[in-house]
Amino acid sequence: MKRKSFDFKGDDFKNRYRITGILTTQSPLHIGTGETREDEAYKKLPESEQKLKKVPEIAEIARGCNGNPYLPGSTLRGIIRHYLLQLLKPINPLIAKEEDYEDLTKNKYPTQAEQIAYIRDKACMLDQLFGTPFHETKIEFWDAYLQNSVAEDPRLVEKGWDHSKQKQSYVVRSVAIDPETGAAAPNKLYSFDVAPPGQQYKIDVVGYNLDSEELGMLITGLCGFNSEIMPLQMGAMAGRGFGRMEFKLQNVYCLEKGDLTNWFNLALDKNLAGFDYLPRLIKKGDNWQDRVKSYKEAFVKYAREVSDESK
């Protein structure tokens, strides 16, 4: 088969998609910010029990303006792209591969025209969809905000659960490991905030000029959270079982080129613009599982055809 030519965000308008869903934490989650705070619980101990030379610090997690944890869109995009790269690069380099774009810029494609030609004709499908230093991504992951409040667990109060401010997190305390001995390093307490299991975060992903094959790749990445063989995990301490999530797709919205006039009229006459008023592909009573399955099948078919042709 001939290599398929995909449209890009800056090309003539073809469609605009919005995918919504819910991510639910199945285990503790720590998405760090690099910032720390002093451990107030340690400072309240009697001086006779304060055996460390300095007050331990607690590694902070990402929080929104209301103080609750949230999932940064850039983090979601990064881990899903990496997951798809690890999953798909053994199949075929036209589907997914690791590329050194700094080297390409310096040694092969120094001009913008050459870089555009490379993206259209030679870049792998994953790079074309998720973006590169040469071009803008076709999909946007919005920040995912907390939708519910997890009930207070008495066992978490002892771990720093903030009942008064309801920041929906608690503290995990551990010790640093000496890399040479493999034993706990003396006088080195390591503490970090975690979001508890049971939290639900609203997922919004917006795509521009997407084909069915690209939708299939994107949804495959989102569904990686539900994989039992190669589960997608978020944040730190994945080796300890942290960061396990469950993804539930809620709806798919799409604005096609032929719908633009009606959409504009809604905006002008009734002030109903924005992504919430895109037509819904998954409607009440519709078998949305079949629709999502068709996207995945289109992607698998394309990947198989590309692989067979390159043999």
Side-chain angles (χ1 to χ4, degrees), residues 26-257:
Q26 302 296 300
S27 64
L29 172 68
H30 176 85
I31 297 180
T33 63
E35 299 178 344
T36 62
R37 69 177 187 276
E38 289 189 335
D39 190 339
E40 295 297 327
Y42 181 85
K43 292 170 67 175
K44 293 177 181 179
L45 292 175
E47 290 189 10
S48 59
E49 297 183 25
Q50 295 183 16
K51 299 179 180 180
L52 302 180
K53 296 180 180 179
K54 59 178 295 187
V55 176
E57 295 186 332
I58 298 173
E60 299 269 18
I61 57 174
R63 297 184 185 277
C65 59
N66 61 0
N68 285 334
Y70 82 105
L71 312 180
S74 57
T75 299
L76 284 165
R77 177 178 170 273
I79 65 168
I80 290 176
R81 186 192 184 284
H82 180 73
Y83 175 81
L84 287 170
L85 175 64
Q86 300 306 311
L87 182 69
L88 300 174
K89 70 179 180 180
I91 296 176
N92 190 282
L94 291 179
I95 302 299
K97 65 178 177 180
E98 293 185 82
E99 192 65 90
D100 186 347
Y101 279 92
E102 183 176 355
D103 177 67
L104 291 181
T105 303
K106 291 181 180 179
N107 301 317
K108 294 183 179 180
Y109 308 105
T111 69
Q112 187 179 57
E114 291 174 318
Q115 293 170 7
I116 292 173
Y118 171 83
I119 292 299
R120 290 193 180 276
D121 302 330
K122 297 181 180 180
C124 68
M125 182 181 176
L126 181 67
D127 281 356
Q128 289 178 332
L129 179 61
F130 277 78
T132 69
F134 286 1
H135 80 299
E136 187 177 8
T137 178
K138 295 175 64 176
I139 49 178
E140 300 172 0
F141 287 80
W142 297 356
D143 293 340
Y145 293 101
L146 188 63
Q147 302 298 298
N148 67 329
S149 295
V150 175
E152 178 178 299
D153 186 333
R155 294 172 298 178
L156 300 183
V157 174
E158 299 178 358
K159 297 182 179 181
W161 182 269
D162 194 330
H163 176 71
S164 60
K165 297 180 181 179
Q166 283 296 299
K167 289 190 175 182
Q168 291 290 296
S169 67
Y170 63 98
V171 178
V172 172
R173 292 180 171 83
S174 186
V175 293
I177 301 299
D178 188 316
E180 294 184 0
T181 64
N187 299 321
K188 289 187 178 180
L189 183 67
Y190 177 68
S191 303
F192 46 93
D193 277 334
V194 295
Q199 289 185 338
Q200 297 179 343
Y201 295 86
K202 176 70 177 297
I203 299 297
D204 274 283
V205 185
V206 176
Y208 301 84
N209 290 349
L210 299 181
D211 284 358
S212 295
E213 295 89 344
E214 294 174 307
L215 281 163
M217 174 182 276
L218 174 58
I219 292 173
T220 297
L222 288 167
C223 291
F225 290 104
N226 303 333
S227 173
E228 295 182 359
I229 300 175
M230 185 180 172
L232 174 53
Q233 295 172 257
M234 287 192 69
M237 277 74 72
R240 294 176 57 176
F242 286 27
R244 291 296 303 270
M245 315 282 283
E246 179 184 67
F247 175 71
K248 182 178 180 181
L249 189 147
Q250 288 184 313
N251 222 311
V252 179
Y253 303 77
C254 178
L255 178 65
E256 300 282 356
K257 186 174 183 180

